[in-house]
Amino acid sequence: ELKVEQNPLFLSMQEGKNYTIYCNYSTTSDRLYWYRQDPGKSLESLFVLLSNGAVKQEGRLMASLDTKARLSTLHITAAVHDLSATYFCAVVSGYALNFGKGTSLLVTP
Amino acid sequence: GAGVSQSPSNKVTEKGKDVELRCDPISGHTALYWYRQRLGQGLEFLIYFQGNSAPDKSGLPSDRFSAERTGESVSTLTIQRTQQEDSAVYLCASSLGTSQYNEQFFGPGTRLTVL
């Protein structure tokens, strides 16, 4: 059974600071997603990582994938309040997505 | 609209009642998925439909849960004799096809509360 673990589960950070969210998974997969979820809203796709060493950046967020270590990271640079949300990583297994429990991020002034 | 839609957005029911949740996928998307999100948790896969093929029901938690899909359009998820543990947000997603490289697009979800 594929297991996906994220840490931390809760993160409070000040505006302007940097931080990294980690996503570990237990079995081989060749595709990993990062999603954002705002309270009461559905999931918004942020990044799709397809291969070892893949790195993608959008604004203050950068995601990377190390398939050998079965690890993905989501790095936040100079956080702003608008980034407050819950972030999920999800790993493809067959056709279904296996999700981590999510990281609730709160960015404070 | 262009996205996945779900109804109702909220449903409150009494323990033991049956509920039916609806999902309208993106037009042209042959694959449809149901997930459950319990409070503070990630999403759990429930069931997968692809065209006219037999659905993959491997994620359904009990025989109280069932789902149907009419061709490549609307799907309904039915929960019979609801229990308090069924309280969750039920999310539907659709994708273009069977390839695992087809991105899944999620609907807004139905929040189910069982009293």
Side-chain angles (χ1 to χ4, degrees), chain A residues 4 14 26 30 33-34 43 45 49 53 55 69 77 79 90 93-94 97 103:
Chain A
V4 182
Q14 287 184 317
S26 60
D30 58 2
Y33 291 88
W34 282 97
L43 279 74
S45 178
L49 301 171
V55 177
T77 302
S93 177
L97 292 172
T103 296

Short mmCIF file of all heavy atoms in Angstrom, two decimals, chain A residues 4 14 26 30 33-34 43 45 49 53 55 69 77 79 90 93-94 97 103:
data_model
loop_
_atom_site.label_atom_id
_atom_site.label_comp_id
_atom_site.label_asym_id
_atom_site.label_seq_id
_atom_site.Cartn_x
_atom_site.Cartn_y
_atom_site.Cartn_z
N VAL A 4 1.74 8.13 1.92
CA VAL A 4 2.28 9.46 1.65
C VAL A 4 2.27 10.24 2.96
O VAL A 4 1.23 10.36 3.59
CB VAL A 4 1.44 10.19 0.59
CG1 VAL A 4 2.03 11.56 0.29
CG2 VAL A 4 1.33 9.36 -0.68
N GLN A 14 6.03 33.85 9.64
CA GLN A 14 5.90 35.29 9.46
C GLN A 14 6.08 35.64 7.99
O GLN A 14 6.81 34.96 7.25
CB GLN A 14 6.94 36.03 10.28
CG GLN A 14 6.66 36.04 11.77
CD GLN A 14 7.69 36.88 12.52
OE1 GLN A 14 8.88 36.80 12.24
NE2 GLN A 14 7.21 37.68 13.45
N SER A 26 6.04 5.99 -0.03
CA SER A 26 6.63 4.70 0.33
C SER A 26 6.99 3.80 -0.84
O SER A 26 7.82 2.89 -0.68
CB SER A 26 5.67 3.94 1.25
OG SER A 26 4.44 3.71 0.60
N ASP A 30 5.91 7.61 -10.60
CA ASP A 30 6.57 8.49 -11.55
C ASP A 30 5.81 9.80 -11.75
O ASP A 30 6.02 10.51 -12.73
CB ASP A 30 6.76 7.79 -12.89
CG ASP A 30 5.44 7.30 -13.48
OD1 ASP A 30 4.40 7.55 -12.87
OD2 ASP A 30 5.48 6.67 -14.54
N TYR A 33 1.95 15.28 -7.49
CA TYR A 33 1.24 16.55 -7.58
C TYR A 33 1.36 17.32 -6.26
O TYR A 33 1.41 16.72 -5.19
CB TYR A 33 -0.26 16.33 -7.81
CG TYR A 33 -0.65 15.77 -9.15
CD1 TYR A 33 -0.68 14.39 -9.37
CD2 TYR A 33 -1.02 16.61 -10.20
CE1 TYR A 33 -1.07 13.88 -10.59
CE2 TYR A 33 -1.41 16.10 -11.41
CZ TYR A 33 -1.44 14.74 -11.60
OH TYR A 33 -1.83 14.24 -12.81
N TRP A 34 1.32 18.62 -6.39
CA TRP A 34 1.09 19.50 -5.24
C TRP A 34 -0.20 20.27 -5.52
O TRP A 34 -0.40 20.82 -6.61
CB TRP A 34 2.24 20.48 -5.02
CG TRP A 34 3.43 19.85 -4.36
CD1 TRP A 34 4.56 19.37 -4.97
CD2 TRP A 34 3.62 19.66 -2.95
NE1 TRP A 34 5.43 18.87 -4.03
CE2 TRP A 34 4.89 19.05 -2.79
CE3 TRP A 34 2.87 19.95 -1.81
CZ2 TRP A 34 5.40 18.71 -1.54
CZ3 TRP A 34 3.39 19.61 -0.58
CH2 TRP A 34 4.64 19.00 -0.44
N LEU A 43 -9.73 21.63 -4.51
CA LEU A 43 -8.28 21.59 -4.68
C LEU A 43 -7.86 22.28 -5.97
O LEU A 43 -8.46 22.07 -7.02
CB LEU A 43 -7.80 20.14 -4.72
CG LEU A 43 -7.63 19.45 -3.38
CD1 LEU A 43 -8.97 19.09 -2.79
CD2 LEU A 43 -6.77 18.22 -3.53
N SER A 45 -4.69 22.67 -8.51
CA SER A 45 -3.40 22.07 -8.86
C SER A 45 -2.32 23.14 -8.95
O SER A 45 -2.49 24.16 -9.62
CB SER A 45 -3.53 21.34 -10.20
OG SER A 45 -2.28 20.78 -10.58
N LEU A 49 4.99 17.01 -11.05
CA LEU A 49 6.41 16.66 -11.17
C LEU A 49 6.49 15.25 -11.74
O LEU A 49 5.92 14.31 -11.18
CB LEU A 49 7.08 16.72 -9.79
CG LEU A 49 6.99 18.10 -9.11
CD1 LEU A 49 7.48 18.01 -7.68
CD2 LEU A 49 7.81 19.13 -9.88
N GLY A 53 14.58 14.74 -10.22
CA GLY A 53 15.29 16.00 -10.39
C GLY A 53 14.42 17.12 -10.91
O GLY A 53 14.90 18.24 -11.07
N VAL A 55 12.16 20.20 -11.17
CA VAL A 55 11.97 21.40 -10.35
C VAL A 55 11.04 22.33 -11.10
O VAL A 55 11.24 22.60 -12.28
CB VAL A 55 13.30 22.12 -10.06
CG1 VAL A 55 13.04 23.40 -9.26
CG2 VAL A 55 14.26 21.21 -9.31
N ALA A 69 15.02 9.11 -3.52
CA ALA A 69 14.74 9.27 -2.09
C ALA A 69 13.25 9.21 -1.78
O ALA A 69 12.86 9.21 -0.61
CB ALA A 69 15.31 10.59 -1.59
N THR A 77 9.22 30.93 -0.51
CA THR A 77 10.20 32.02 -0.41
C THR A 77 9.49 33.33 -0.09
O THR A 77 8.54 33.70 -0.77
CB THR A 77 10.97 32.17 -1.73
OG1 THR A 77 11.63 30.94 -2.04
CG2 THR A 77 12.00 33.29 -1.63
N ALA A 79 7.42 34.50 2.32
CA ALA A 79 5.98 34.24 2.41
C ALA A 79 5.16 35.52 2.53
O ALA A 79 5.57 36.50 3.16
CB ALA A 79 5.70 33.33 3.60
N ALA A 90 0.31 14.63 -3.55
CA ALA A 90 -0.41 13.42 -3.94
C ALA A 90 0.43 12.66 -4.94
O ALA A 90 1.03 13.25 -5.85
CB ALA A 90 -1.77 13.77 -4.54
N SER A 93 -0.83 6.30 -8.02
CA SER A 93 -0.69 4.85 -7.92
C SER A 93 -1.77 4.25 -8.81
O SER A 93 -2.95 4.28 -8.46
CB SER A 93 -0.85 4.39 -6.47
OG SER A 93 -0.79 2.98 -6.38
N GLY A 94 -1.38 3.72 -9.95
CA GLY A 94 -2.39 3.31 -10.92
C GLY A 94 -3.02 4.56 -11.49
O GLY A 94 -2.36 5.39 -12.09
N LEU A 97 -5.16 8.90 -7.01
CA LEU A 97 -4.19 9.73 -6.30
C LEU A 97 -4.18 9.34 -4.83
O LEU A 97 -5.23 9.18 -4.21
CB LEU A 97 -4.55 11.21 -6.44
CG LEU A 97 -4.39 11.80 -7.83
CD1 LEU A 97 -4.97 13.21 -7.88
CD2 LEU A 97 -2.94 11.82 -8.25
N THR A 103 -0.60 20.07 4.77
CA THR A 103 0.11 21.01 5.64
C THR A 103 -0.69 22.29 5.68
O THR A 103 -0.87 22.95 4.65
CB THR A 103 1.52 21.30 5.11
OG1 THR A 103 2.30 20.10 5.12
CG2 THR A 103 2.20 22.37 5.97
#
